[in-house]
Amino acid sequence: RPIEDTMAAMVCHGALTRFPDLRIACIENGGSWVLPFLEHLEQTRRMMPQAFDEDPIAAFKRNIYVNPFHEDNLRGLIDAMGADHILFGSDYPHPEGLAEPCSYIDHLPEGLPPEDVAKIMGHLVEVEFSGGEKIFAQGDKGALSDSVRRGACSSGQRRRPLGDGQALYVLMDRD
């Protein structure tokens, strides 16, 4: 897959090590490729440790953000990447998009802490919409879900601040 080739080049040729503040959002590729990619990357590191200036998996997890499809292994992706590197997005009205994009929250793993739900659904942004309500001040998934459904993600995917300095987004389409 082109996304795996691209990510392998970014990691194995040292771009992520040379530019540790670079942030790459992988959009419209889903997340099914990530876990096998990380396994392959670990196998490569074990066979050729001298080829890497830093742990390639640590570099990948630091620099890469993934926008999984709702049917992907979300629990596995969250466990591998951390909730702060999983991005909610909608590709509606394309076939892989949900008819109700905000229902993505219903596909998140049961028992996910509210702060992780907020990271995924809100991209760590305190979103305000008409009336100034701050949706991620809610304390539980149900309340958050209700707030999201009332319009917090009706405008689609939002830009995510990624810390101090500038963030660079590289959007990759699977087509």
Side-chain angles (χ1 to χ4, degrees):
R1 291 185 60 186
I3 187 63
E4 292 170 286
D5 292 345
T6 301
M7 291 297 104
M10 296 295 288
V11 174
C12 296
H13 293 288
L16 303 182
T17 299
R18 288 191 310 276
F19 302 99
D21 295 326
L22 178 68
R23 300 296 183 252
I24 300 173
C26 299
I27 308 298
E28 292 194 5
N29 291 284
S32 63
W33 62 275
V34 174
L35 298 177
F37 177 79
L38 290 174
E39 289 174 18
H40 182 74
L41 196 56
E42 175 58 25
Q43 180 182 32
T44 303
R45 186 198 60 78
R46 279 195 312 269
M47 291 187 302
M48 301 174 51
Q50 73 283 359
F52 300 98
D53 290 333
E54 74 172 314
D55 178 353
I57 292 177
F60 182 86
K61 290 179 178 184
R62 177 189 62 231
N63 294 73
I64 305 301
Y65 295 76
V66 179
N67 169 222
F69 298 136
H70 69 279
E71 66 269 16
D72 287 339
N73 176 1
L74 297 176
R75 170 56 70 195
L77 288 167
I78 293 166
D79 290 346
M81 297 293 295
D84 56 333
H85 282 250
I86 304 299
L87 307 173
F88 157 73
S90 170
D91 207 15
Y92 180 80
H94 295 139
E96 64 272 15
L98 293 165
E100 292 183 37
C102 292
S103 69
Y104 188 91
I105 196 170
D106 299 327
H107 297 274
L108 294 177
E110 287 296 319
L112 194 63
E115 53 275 4
D116 286 350
V117 173
K119 288 174 184 177
I120 294 167
M121 295 301 293
H123 310 298
L124 301 175
V125 176
E126 200 171 54
V127 179
E128 294 187 29
F129 52 96
S130 63
E133 179 184 4
K134 295 178 180 176
I135 66 166
F136 297 126
Q138 305 296 335
D140 62 66
K141 186 175 175 181
L144 179 60
S145 178
D146 291 343
S147 294
V148 168
R149 289 183 204 293
R150 284 197 308 270
C153 61
S154 61
S155 62
Q157 207 160 359
R158 302 189 190 304
R159 184 176 185 275
R160 177 179 180 179
L162 298 168
D164 296 335
Q166 296 189 7
L168 172 64
Y169 283 67
V170 178
L171 305 180
M172 300 173 193
D173 195 323
R174 61 190 160 85
D175 296 328

